[in-house]
């Protein structure tokens, strides 16, 4: 059924299994190339996401050739961006970084989404967010807008080189709503969480009182950071006086979501008025998932602008100690980055081990 395969391929392009779109869309185009005006574009996306960059680029350009003048005004910037991404992808895959990417294994990763890791400075405790069912209950709640299980925050501990089984953090950190960790203070005792219920999404923090007790998450110190717009990630400099965070305020951002900096005099003070990191770090697109290295010299973040090979890629920017400004962001390349979304990269104290 050609129509069914077209809809299946289209659905996979918007799913977590984007690579599966290719076989359906290839079959459709071979059987009925005129099934829909956007088949060439969707086939280009499928090839792009499957590392077939030249085929992806050719289909993007073929699709552009079918557009009328009015459509070209809308689609040309989009197609040009995807074409650039395929060119970057070819370059990065041909010259891969010499890194080893290992899965943390079935103790941590499941058939459900795991993401947003944050780790203590000593590398012994890692917190992460997961949309997995609650094994202590007969039936787990489904978040209806996404038809997935609710988000919860988990902790694992490294002992003798091995990670422990994940432990779900207790109330009041995990609630009946979605709960996501997005940052950690240098002390390792305080977590920054994303609260999606208030406004468009705010930052809150909780402090560990004991291994099994945490304070109720509050936004008391984030008065000048949280806005009517969306704050989605944060990272605190090792001295505890500078915070980097992301916000999509259209009046303050250079593109969509941008990286901002906020300062304070000491750990008991509220965070001060934010400043945008500027056009060199922030692109005309979106920057997310910011992380400052333990030595305070490297800023890692995800962006779907700059030299992305597709979706969000992870970049780093070095602090120029002479000018006290951030240098031009550099793509971390393949195999860390892929044609799909790659979000949130954190490193350990020696900057030799990273989690993403």
């Amino acid at each position: 059924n050609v129509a069914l395969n077209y809809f299946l391929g289209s659905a996979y392009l918007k799913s977590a299994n984007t690579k599966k779109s290719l076989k359906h869309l290839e079959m459709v185009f071979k059987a009925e190339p005129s099934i829909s005006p956007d088949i060439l574009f969707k086939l280009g996306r499928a090839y792009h996401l499957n590392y077939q960059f030249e085929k992806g680029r050719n289909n993007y350009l073929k699709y552009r050739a079918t557009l009328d003048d009015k459509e070209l005004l809308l689609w040309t910037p989009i197609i040009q961006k995807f074409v650039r991404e395929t060119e970057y992808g070819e370059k990065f895959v041909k010259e891969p970084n010499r890194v080893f990417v290992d899965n943390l294994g079935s103790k941590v990763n499941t058939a459900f989404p795991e993401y947003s890791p944050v780790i203590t400075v000593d590398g012994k405790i890692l917190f992460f967010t997961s949309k997995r069912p609650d094994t202590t209950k007969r039936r787990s709640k489904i978040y209806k807008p996404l038809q997935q299980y609710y988000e919860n925050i988990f902790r694992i501990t490294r002992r003798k080189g091995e990670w422990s089984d994940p432990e779900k953090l207790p109330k009041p950190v995990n609630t009946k709503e979605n709960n996501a960790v997005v940052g950690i203070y240098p002390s390792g005792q305080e977590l920054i969480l994303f609260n999606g219920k208030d406004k468009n999404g705010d930052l809150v923090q909780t402090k560990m009182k004991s291994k099994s007790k945490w304070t109720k998450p509050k936004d008391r110190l984030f008065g000048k950071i949280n806005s009517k717009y969306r704050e989605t990630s944060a990272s605190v400099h090792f001295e505890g006086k500078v915070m980097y965070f992301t916000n999509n305020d259209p009046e303050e951002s250079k593109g969509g979501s941008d990286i901002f900096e906020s300062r304070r005099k000491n750990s008991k003070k509220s965070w001060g008025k934010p400043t945008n990191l500027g056009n060199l770090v922030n692109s005309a697109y979106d920057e997310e998932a910011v992380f400052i290295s333990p030595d305070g010299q490297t800023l890692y973040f995800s962006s779907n602008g700059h030299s992305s090979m597709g979706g969000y890629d992870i970049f780093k920017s070095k602090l120029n100690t002479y000018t006290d400004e951030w240098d031009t962001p550099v793509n971390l390349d393949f195999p860390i980055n892929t044609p799909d979304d790659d979000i949130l990269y954190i490193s350990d104290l020696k900057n030799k081990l990273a989690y993403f």
Side-chain angles (χ1 to χ4, degrees), residues 74 149 265 275:
L74 172 66
Y149 292 111
K265 292 182 179 180
T275 56

Side-chain angles (χ1 to χ4, degrees), residues 124-135:
K124 292 182 178 180
I125 302 175
L126 186 143
F127 300 89
F128 65 95
T129 305
S130 179
K131 294 180 180 179
R132 62 180 67 181
D134 189 338
T135 56

Side-chain angles (χ1 to χ4, degrees), residues 63-345:
Y63 175 66
R64 187 176 66 179
T66 69
L67 302 176
D68 60 31
D69 291 344
K70 187 176 180 181
E71 292 169 328
L72 281 170
L73 286 173
L74 172 66
W75 280 96
T76 294
I78 298 170
I79 292 170
Q80 286 176 338
K81 183 176 186 296
F82 285 141
V83 166
R84 285 197 303 272
E85 289 176 354
T86 62
E87 293 169 347
Y88 286 126
E90 283 179 326
K91 176 187 175 184
F92 297 150
V93 170
K94 284 178 182 176
E95 303 168 3
N97 260 335
R98 193 175 184 275
V99 296
F100 299 97
V101 180
D102 296 318
N103 192 300
L104 283 191
S106 57
K107 273 188 177 181
V108 177
N109 293 315
T110 66
F112 304 94
E114 282 82 32
Y115 49 93
S116 193
V118 298
I119 196 167
T120 53
V121 173
D122 61 11
K124 292 182 178 180
I125 302 175
L126 186 143
F127 300 89
F128 65 95
T129 305
S130 179
K131 294 180 180 179
R132 62 180 67 181
D134 189 338
T135 56
T136 65
K137 297 180 180 179
R138 289 175 58 187
R139 181 178 295 179
S140 297
K141 284 177 62 180
I142 296 290
Y143 182 56
K144 291 182 179 179
L146 295 178
Q147 286 300 302
Q148 294 179 325
Y149 292 111
Y150 276 80
E151 293 175 313
N152 281 295
I153 300 166
F154 293 81
R155 169 176 55 197
I156 55 174
T157 304
R158 190 199 296 274
R159 299 186 183 93
K160 296 180 180 179
E162 296 289 329
W163 288 107
S164 66
D165 290 328
E167 172 191 1
K168 182 180 172 183
L169 294 192
K171 294 180 181 179
V173 178
N174 282 317
T175 66
K176 293 181 180 180
E177 304 296 332
N178 283 309
N179 310 282
V181 59
V182 297
I184 188 169
Y185 280 82
S187 66
Q189 304 295 305
E190 294 172 276
L191 296 178
I192 303 170
L193 313 181
F194 174 70
N195 177 6
K197 285 191 68 179
D198 290 347
K199 305 169 190 175
N200 282 311
D202 278 352
L203 300 175
V204 295
Q205 73 180 54
T206 178
K207 186 174 183 178
M208 183 170 65
K209 297 195 290 186
S210 68
K211 187 177 179 182
S212 59
K213 290 186 178 181
W214 294 77
T215 61
K216 184 178 180 180
K218 294 181 179 180
D219 65 353
R220 181 173 58 86
L221 299 178
F222 295 95
K224 293 184 179 180
I225 289 178
N226 286 330
S227 67
K228 64 180 180 180
Y229 298 100
R230 191 174 180 87
E231 292 78 32
T232 52
S233 69
S235 185
V236 181
H237 188 276
F238 71 91
E239 292 180 340
K241 296 179 182 179
V242 183
M243 176 184 286
Y244 301 93
F245 69 97
T246 53
N247 172 285
N248 67 347
D249 182 345
E251 294 182 3
E252 300 293 337
S253 297
K254 307 299 179 184
S257 177
D258 275 8
I259 300 170
F260 291 77
E261 174 188 284
S262 176
R263 294 179 177 267
R264 64 181 181 179
K265 292 182 179 180
N266 60 61
S267 60
K268 294 183 180 179
K269 295 288 185 179
S270 296
W271 292 103
K273 185 179 179 180
T275 56
N276 191 299
L277 286 196
N279 291 334
L280 203 58
V281 171
N282 291 313
S283 70
Y285 296 93
D286 296 299
E287 279 66 49
E288 288 284 0
V290 63
F291 171 75
I292 183 69
S293 62
D295 63 6
Q297 299 298 303
T298 308
L299 195 70
Y300 295 95
F301 61 93
S302 294
S303 175
N304 55 15
H306 295 298
S307 57
S308 167
M309 65 187 286
Y312 283 96
D313 275 10
I314 299 165
F315 293 81
K316 69 177 180 181
S317 176
K318 289 279 189 180
L319 182 66
N320 186 319
T321 53
Y322 293 102
T323 64
D324 200 32
E325 294 181 349
W326 295 101
D327 287 340
T328 302
V330 175
N331 192 304
L332 293 195
D333 297 352
F334 178 80
I336 292 174
N337 287 319
T338 70
D340 214 332
D341 287 334
D342 306 287
I343 300 177
L344 193 55
Y345 176 101

